[in-house]
């Protein structure tokens, strides 16, 4: 039954990538992204094997979809609840890497939402500051001497 569940989640991963591509670009791009995600060899292997990776990928992509949709559209409380449930579920997986990525994307979403609400002159300065702080954060995470940074 776990293999069937992984196959279903792998198929849903293609659907969520379609929705994300449609909202960010257009239907043609969405179809291409769905095709790539659906037939990507390692995702097929992970979906057939008894691994946790399809669930991690699916929950992470759901988080990205909700945040990307919230940047340009007004979303309902159900979408925020879906984001909360996905983050809560990702937190309890042994691999904290996806949870840290989702939290990083959530903080970037909040920063981008604030930047989009500013006037043009101030917005340009904030974009430069956010790019600089993103690179600083990546550098700190990459060169941190602690061995348990992303585990």
């Amino acid at each position: 039954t776990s293999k069937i569940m992984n196959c279903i989640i792998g198929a849903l991963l293609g659907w969520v990538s379609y929705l994300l591509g449609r909202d960010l670009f257009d239907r043609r791009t969405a179809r291409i992204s769905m095709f790539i995600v659906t037939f990507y060899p390692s995702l097929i292997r992970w979906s057939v094997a008894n691994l946790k990776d399809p669930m991690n990928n699916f929950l992470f992509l759901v988080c990205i979809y909700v945040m990307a949709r919230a940047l340009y559209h007004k979303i309902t409380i159900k979408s925020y609840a879906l984001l909360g449930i996905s983050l809560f579920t990702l937190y309890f997986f042994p691999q904290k890497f996806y949870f840290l990525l989702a939290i990083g994307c959530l903080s970037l979403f909040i920063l981008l939402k604030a930047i989009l609400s500013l006037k043009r002159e101030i917005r340009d300065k904030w974009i430069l500051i956010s790019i600089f702080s993103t690179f600083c954060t990546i550098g700190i995470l990459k060169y941190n001497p602690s061995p348990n940074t992303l585990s």
Side-chain angles (χ1 to χ4, degrees):
T1 59
S2 63
K3 285 186 180 184
I4 293 172
M5 205 54 196
N6 275 347
C7 290
I8 291 171
I9 290 170
L12 287 175
L13 192 62
W15 179 66
V16 175
S17 71
Y18 173 81
L19 293 175
L20 184 63
R22 187 187 66 189
D23 279 355
L24 293 180
F25 301 105
D26 59 354
R27 290 184 188 270
R28 181 174 181 266
T29 308
R31 278 185 255 137
I32 291 170
S33 72
M34 182 180 75
F35 181 80
I36 289 171
V37 168
T38 304
F39 295 107
Y40 191 67
S42 64
L43 287 175
I44 291 173
R45 222 174 301 123
W46 289 340
S47 293
V48 174
N50 193 11
L51 299 172
K52 298 178 286 288
D53 293 312
M55 182 62 107
N56 284 337
N57 293 336
F58 174 72
L59 292 172
F60 180 69
L61 197 60
V62 165
C63 292
I64 297 297
Y65 172 69
V66 171
M67 288 183 271
R69 187 153 175 79
L71 276 177
Y72 301 108
H73 306 289
K74 291 195 177 213
I75 61 171
T76 61
I77 197 76
K78 287 186 228 177
S79 298
Y80 285 115
L82 182 63
L83 176 66
I85 289 169
S86 297
L87 284 172
F88 182 76
T89 309
L90 276 175
Y91 178 74
F92 287 104
F93 278 109
Q95 297 171 328
K96 297 291 185 207
F97 180 70
Y98 288 99
F99 178 72
L100 290 175
L101 276 177
I103 292 298
C105 290
L106 183 62
S107 59
L108 184 64
F109 158 72
I110 293 168
L111 183 65
L112 285 174
K113 195 72 168 169
I115 287 172
L116 288 175
S117 66
L118 295 174
K119 292 184 181 175
R120 182 151 179 82
E121 301 85 27
I122 300 171
R123 185 183 311 164
D124 294 340
K125 292 177 185 173
W126 272 103
I127 289 173
L128 290 176
I129 291 170
S130 64
I131 290 171
F132 174 73
S133 64
T134 302
F135 282 122
C136 288
T137 305
I138 290 170
I140 290 169
L141 285 175
K142 179 157 180 62
Y143 297 110
N144 187 3
S146 172
N148 297 326
T149 303
L150 295 177
S151 60

